[in-house]
Amino acid sequence: MKTRNRSLKLELLQRREMMTVESLAWDGASSLRLSFVPDGTPVANQISNADSVFSQSAAGAEWRSSVAKAFEIWAQYAAINVGVVSDSGDPMGVRGPVRGDTRFGEVRVAGISMTSDTLAAAVNHDKLSAGTWAGDLLFNTDADWSLHSDDLLKVAFHEAGHVLGLPHNADPASPMHEHGIPSTLVPAASDIALLQQLYGLRQPDANEINKPNDVIGDATRIRFSDSSNFDGSKALVHYGEITSPSDKDLFFFELPSNYNGTATIHAVSAGLSQLQFRFTITDRNGVALAQGESTAQLGGDVALNVARPAGDSKLYLRVDPIGDPLSQVGSYAIIAQLDGLIKTSYEDALKVAQTAHRWFASSAQSLTNLNIGSLVGSSEDRVLVNDGGVDDNPLNAPRVEPYADSPLRRASLTIGTISTTQDVDYFRFRSRKPPSGKTFGMLVNVDALELDQLVPVIQVLDKQLKPLAVEQFVNGNGNVLVWVPGVQENEDYTVRIAGTASAQETGNYELAVTFQENKPQRNILSEADLTKADPESESALYVARPQLFTFALKASSTSAVTGDVWANIYDDHKRPVTTLATEVGQLRTGGSILLMPGTYFLQFGTKLSNALDSDVLNVELSGNADTDPLGPPRLNGSQPVFSCPDSTVQFCYPNTSPTTTPFVFVPAPPVILPTSVPYPVTPPANSWFWNNQFPRTNFTLTQDTSGDGEVSPRDALIVINHLNSIGSGLVPAPPVVLGGMVDVNADGLASPIDALLVINYLNRRSPSSEGELAQSPEFDFSEYLPEEFLHELPGKPTSRMRYLTKTSSYHLFCPSDVQ
């Protein structure tokens, strides 16, 4: 039996009570989206039941409006828009873009069972929180929500503050005070000041930079870069924003001279904000041609159909805010369609309008100069910014102006496209003077906007265009983040963006640059020294409260060792719950993972190349715990896991002293975990950038071992072939790539019972006609089955399949006593 290296570092991590302001702001908060997951959505090892619980609670059927209102209360104080969009029901934390995933909002709301010391938990949007978990909000559906109708609103208000980057406030009168249901929905002055330092105040939108567009003579023309070639086959899309209850916006839309049909024009806040508004179309004299109102609480859509005014080709469009003060600010879109020429659906145009708002709302590109309507019906190969190669030279780098500028931070955002394998983009940013006694650094963040496409590479140049040394904090899951320390004040810095040379990827991206004092921080959670003789190491992880972890893996050596390194986390049933893999010398991050209370195991492993017996590889797992829970004033009911018998605030883990830390990594006695050492590890580094997950069980449909969305004979053969090639027992550890997700019953093992579960699934779902099967050719599994399969199954089953050619279905014969 091989020995295992136990040189692990023990470090108790205190929960982050004071979060650094500069690292928690959303990039482009003027386009945040909120979605409510449907009941049944997987959340870690549970499923969400928020709708069934809250619709029967004191909050009632309008519980979603309560949660949305919580965000809108904060949004009124700063340049923030929160639109409500639909949710696909994909598992929480599913692999996808960090921002702008079309399946759901940046902030997803779910409900699960939690321990009694937690009412809700928010995932802080930290720039180190890679993946779709960032910003999500979880409610404890086991808590008592029946007492007061506004309890849910108040708890959501507290957690929404965390989502937007606010820390706990020591002032008991603040709704951001740490414990208990807040007593108020009015932020403290310190909360508002901090929010405005993060996001700034609402500013005139792109239509009103030079002057207001509140009268017909100053109406903004809805015009796009290719308007001269506009043929009416696609919608025109234009954005605006009501920045105060007294604001109003006017536009004009000119009908083509050769078009005499009607036009349907929508004003839409749905998915963009919670603005309520009156939409009016007039002629040039202000005479109303059509009018409608949207009073929808979560954002609405007003469609007006008009004909060409007599003797004129111009239609004037007016948007006025209505409703209560909370509903009188926010973004909206104008979507214009020529009914006789349009060839794309309004649904497609609306989807593009909602998505493009996220891409462009805070970017350097002016919304008034982009033909967003041209994106309707485009493919995933779309080019968001066709720069014509003008920024391929650093001397031609365009300057990106800040969208938020306060003494604490200067933030700028732009989008771009690496359109060819030779394409590079340069952008110029100017630093600001920091407050007295402080030194700013430069945080550079790039998000790829499409899954499995661009792997961005960042280079930062000084004013002489010489490369600067950077510290990397995030590298994976579509996100790269680096830090440049000690930048000079009032000086130009240039950022170069390209694709990974070895893979030659192309795609769209968002670039955000922030000048601020504090750099991101990662805690070292565990580390070990691996050698050729001891290539694996293990430790235990105890979790007392639900925790959302973001991990980074890095391995280094003083010698010329090369190879692959990985870290696996298993639950107490030895089932892998997350994986990170990288190369020696390369930092790699993965998507965040929510761990519910319990015992877990961490395993480091490596494949060393050209290593000597004396070579030592130091492996380091760092990360943050990103959830920030709100608890009731006192504990009641069941106690949290690892609670101390004589304390309500401390946790007692095995072989450790009492601590207030809700999780801890500790050295552990040897445990028998799956191993990767005897098996080949083949994924390339760029594959690991996008996906470090190697699932052993398909929890969406466990019998679908191939992951193609259906169960077929192939799924049984995948398990059978695995048994023939590797045998029964512990499933090899990630990142070994298997033929499929062979652990059908999720017991941590691959065995004949996994194949039988697939076979029985097929058998139960095969069609029949009055008990008879159609005659068709047979497929005999017996020649593929290992001998142990037949020995272990009772009744010596017949493993024979009949195809039903007319229905493309099948039938399996298995004895009735085999379940």
Side-chain angles (χ1 to χ4, degrees), residues 238-444:
H238 195 94
Y239 295 105
E241 180 159 350
I242 298 297
T243 57
S244 73
S246 61
D247 188 19
K248 57 186 175 184
D249 293 340
L250 278 97
F251 307 88
F252 72 90
F253 170 59
E254 189 161 7
L255 297 168
S257 59
N258 59 350
Y259 180 73
N260 293 312
T262 60
T264 299
I265 304 178
H266 294 251
V268 186
S269 61
L272 307 180
S273 72
Q274 298 174 51
L275 174 72
Q276 296 181 16
F277 58 91
R278 179 181 301 110
F279 181 42
T280 308
I281 300 179
T282 75
D283 61 16
R284 66 169 57 249
N285 298 314
V287 177
L289 304 176
Q291 187 178 85
E293 291 186 352
S294 171
T295 57
Q297 290 183 320
L298 303 182
D301 186 339
V302 174
L304 301 179
N305 184 264
V306 293
R308 177 191 292 271
D312 199 355
S313 61
K314 293 181 180 179
L315 298 172
Y316 288 84
L317 321 174
R318 175 170 170 157
V319 179
D320 294 275
I322 60 175
D324 63 64
L326 277 183
S327 304
Q328 292 181 21
V329 293
S331 289
Y332 61 89
I334 301 293
I335 304 177
Q337 298 177 322
L338 302 182
D339 300 327
L341 300 175
I342 194 73
K343 295 181 180 179
T344 56
S345 70
Y346 173 70
E347 289 72 20
D348 287 343
L350 177 61
K351 183 177 180 180
V352 166
Q354 292 172 334
T355 304
H357 183 257
R358 183 268 166 283
W359 288 333
F360 299 116
S362 297
S363 71
Q365 292 82 358
S366 170
L367 295 174
T368 58
N369 294 324
L370 289 168
N371 187 359
I372 297 171
S374 68
L375 299 175
V376 177
S378 61
S379 69
E380 288 300 313
D381 297 325
R382 60 193 164 209
V383 175
L384 294 183
V385 178
N386 184 0
D387 55 40
V390 297
D391 60 358
D392 287 6
N393 186 320
L395 297 176
N396 298 330
R399 183 184 299 279
V400 182
E401 300 298 335
Y403 69 85
D405 200 358
S406 74
L408 289 182
R409 63 192 292 265
R410 170 176 286 179
S412 303
L413 183 148
T414 188
I415 60 169
T417 302
I418 299 299
S419 54
T420 69
T421 56
Q422 291 78 38
D423 190 19
V424 295
D425 292 342
Y426 290 91
F427 301 93
R428 186 173 291 117
F429 303 84
R430 190 163 185 83
S431 65
R432 66 162 297 150
K433 183 178 180 179
S436 176
K438 297 184 181 297
T439 301
F440 273 178
M442 180 180 180
L443 197 65
V444 183

Side-chain angles (χ1 to χ4, degrees), residues 489-674:
E489 64 183 58
N490 298 322
E491 206 160 276
D492 283 348
Y493 290 86
T494 301
V495 177
R496 180 185 187 270
I497 306 295
T500 302
S502 60
Q504 297 185 330
E505 291 100 342
T506 61
N508 302 293
Y509 62 88
E510 176 188 89
L511 167 63
V513 171
T514 306
F515 295 97
Q516 60 186 46
E517 179 187 12
N518 295 332
K519 75 174 183 179
Q521 298 294 326
R522 278 194 180 276
N523 298 302
I524 297 177
L525 303 177
S526 187
E527 59 182 354
D529 291 329
L530 305 181
T531 65
K532 189 174 181 180
D534 289 304
E536 293 186 359
S537 180
E538 295 163 4
S539 62
L541 165 61
Y542 300 119
V543 178
R545 302 176 75 173
Q547 294 288 315
L548 194 287
F549 290 92
T550 303
F551 296 118
L553 180 67
K554 186 177 182 179
S556 58
S557 176
T558 56
S559 60
V561 173
T562 60
D564 301 319
V565 182
W566 54 89
N568 298 320
I569 291 187
Y570 295 88
D571 64 13
D572 56 354
H573 295 290
K574 302 176 184 178
R575 297 172 295 199
V577 294
T578 193
T579 301
L580 268 176
T582 189
E583 297 175 291
V584 174
Q586 176 74 64
L587 174 80
R588 191 73 71 192
T589 51
S592 300
I593 181 76
L594 179 67
L595 297 182
M596 303 305 290
T599 299
Y600 299 86
F601 297 100
L602 166 66
Q603 178 192 61
F604 289 126
T606 186
K607 294 284 188 182
L608 296 177
S609 303
N610 63 309
L612 303 175
D613 291 343
S614 59
D615 288 333
V616 177
L617 184 67
N618 179 259
V619 184
E620 180 182 284
L621 184 72
S622 60
N624 294 328
D626 296 316
T627 43
D628 208 325
L630 173 68
R634 59 186 178 82
L635 294 176
N636 55 68
S638 62
Q639 296 294 307
V641 177
F642 302 118
S643 61
C644 295
D646 55 352
S647 173
T648 60
V649 297
Q650 290 185 313
F651 304 103
C652 291
Y653 302 106
N655 304 315
T656 67
S657 301
T659 175
T660 58
T661 305
F663 67 94
V664 61
F665 284 82
V666 298
V671 294
I672 300 175
L673 292 177

